[in-house]
Amino acid sequence: MTPLHTTPVRRRRLGVAVAAAGLFATLLMAGPAAATPDPGDSAATPAEVSTSQEAEATAAIRSGEIPGVDEIIHSRNITHLANVPKDALQGLNTDLAFQGKYAFAGNYDGFRIFDISNPKSPKTVAQVLCPGSQNDISVSGNLLFLSTDSSRSDNSCASTTQPATEKSSWEGMKVFDISDKRNPKYVAAVETACGSHTHTIVPERKNVYVYVSSYSPSETFPDCQPPHDGISIIKVPRQAPEKSRIVNFPVLFPDGGNPGAPANPGVSKTTGCHDITVLPSKDLAAGACMGDGLLFSIKDPENPRIIDRVQDNVNFAFWHSATFNQRADKVVFTDELGGGGAATCNKEIGPKRGADGIYDIVGKGDHRKLVFRSYFKIDRPQADTEVCVAHNGSIIPVKGRDLMVQAWYQGGVSIWDFTNSSKPKEIGYFERGPVTLDEVTTAGPWSAYYYNGYIYSNDIEKGFDVLRIDDRRTDPAKRVRTDELNVQTQPDYFDR
């Protein structure tokens, strides 16, 4: 067993080997100098902290309880191979997707493509300016999909912010042709109700289905009216993406979903889904839908059918994302307590809130049920100035084990084992110290995924990180290869 210990590693600046030769997008109207955050797509203003909280964080650094500002620490089984800072796109870094030797990194200002053929030295291939939070990202064949969940003046990459109360405002899905990785071309757009906070693709030979998750309707929003109790399903013809269209809006919550407060204090009212993960090989999907967790069948991708639904009105505030294990007999749901803007990895919050919830799937067919087993939350100390909460992760493909790598914002990257769903445990970690000590700031890894032998993390502020884990429990995964990875479209690693 590889022991865990805190290994301070002072942060080194690793330069980008090759700068992108400009920003590419068919509808791009501005040059690289204009790639600055759009005020309408930026994060909430950082919250100030008390003098006593700042003093406590300073004392924790001096005592060695937490790393210093921007200091890197990691477990012995982790090697930090590379960091590529932000470049032309200065917005918040978001999700990741992979194809062959390329990694695709979302950013509130657009997306960036890396050549990761040498994981120790990722090279920038292209940077595309196309503002529209969060720019959640997926790839399939020659197509790239990008979510826009902020109200825009139009569907172009030169759009500006515009109030959602105006009927002419636009939110939804954008589609790019990435057959030339150095010159992505914007080829299609589909407006969806309440925009697209996240999306999940269900790829087929001729078409790609896109499940669009969005929420928070308002009677004052012409294109986002309550009740918003389902998801938009877009059909994208591979050979004619310009013909993309919505083919269904299935109602997932005919009873309205979790009512939230006052019936369930501290729990988000369900007004749509935040994220969906599909396991196409098993015709299954798991939905993280604000106040509810779902298990449903996608045997007919245009007409998903609910199998089971669960709530946790004691410890879960906001069902954020979901991950199946390889055997599809477990689901890990994450709780984004505080909406990704609060310090929740501390003694006051405790080990069960802002955590992962592990559920076994028991039974067969339409009689399958989600049965709660335990919570998992990192127990490494975090300052009250650090936004820390369970966020995006993926399984590490090892037969006979259920292993996962996961981002925790300023809690860093965690590698953990839930083979025994009642007794999960961390087996490795990587994290930076606080970004600052005088305010609560959104930073740290948004996503951390395992792809073809390495861990890739998109840090909200610090950039693109590459890690390697060397551990007898995870080493078998180094032999597993896949040509494409969208984590919310989980591959069957062993049945191929």
Side-chain angles (χ1 to χ4, degrees), residues 22 36 41 49 59 108 139 159 176 182 201 222 254 258 276 282 297 321 334 345 371 386 408 433 438 454 460 485:
T36 55
D41 297 324
V49 297
Y108 271 50
V139 293
S159 67
F176 289 77
R182 295 185 177 277
I201 64 171
N258 197 317
I276 293 170
K282 302 290 193 300
S297 167
S321 52
T334 68
C345 299
V371 178
E386 294 183 279
W408 288 78
D438 59 4
Y454 296 90
I460 294 167
L485 179 64

Side-chain angles (χ1 to χ4, degrees), residues 94 106-111 130-137 146-148:
T94 59
N107 179 287
Y108 271 50
D109 289 340
F111 64 93
C130 198
S133 64
Q134 305 177 138
N135 279 335
D136 193 50
I137 194 166
L146 206 63
S147 286
T148 298

Side-chain angles (χ1 to χ4, degrees), residues 175-190:
V175 184
F176 289 77
D177 183 325
I178 53 169
S179 52
D180 179 357
K181 302 296 188 294
R182 295 185 177 277
N183 187 23
K185 290 182 168 28
Y186 183 9
V187 295
V190 178

Side-chain angles (χ1 to χ4, degrees), residues 382-397:
Q382 305 295 318
D384 285 338
T385 61
E386 294 183 279
V387 171
C388 173
V389 72
H391 219 246
N392 293 353
S394 74
I395 63 168
I396 299 175

Side-chain angles (χ1 to χ4, degrees), residues 72 100 247 256 357 425 443 481:
I72 287 177
V247 293
K425 59 183 179 181
R481 290 289 183 269

Side-chain angles (χ1 to χ4, degrees), residues 63-64 134 281 339 380 407 423 425 429 448:
S63 69
Q134 305 177 138
S281 64
R380 287 172 280 110
K423 294 182 179 180
K425 59 183 179 181
Y429 65 87

Side-chain angles (χ1 to χ4, degrees), residues 431-473:
E431 71 166 288
R432 290 181 171 88
V435 172
T436 180
L437 299 180
D438 59 4
E439 61 184 12
V440 180
T441 305
T442 299
W446 179 290
S447 300
Y449 299 146
Y450 191 92
Y451 176 68
N452 290 353
Y454 296 90
I455 293 169
Y456 297 90
S457 168
N458 211 19
D459 189 292
I460 294 167
E461 291 298 338
K462 300 299 182 182
F464 184 68
D465 286 304
V466 186
L467 312 174
R468 187 184 70 230
I469 181 168
D470 297 294
D471 188 293
R472 63 174 177 79
R473 292 161 290 194

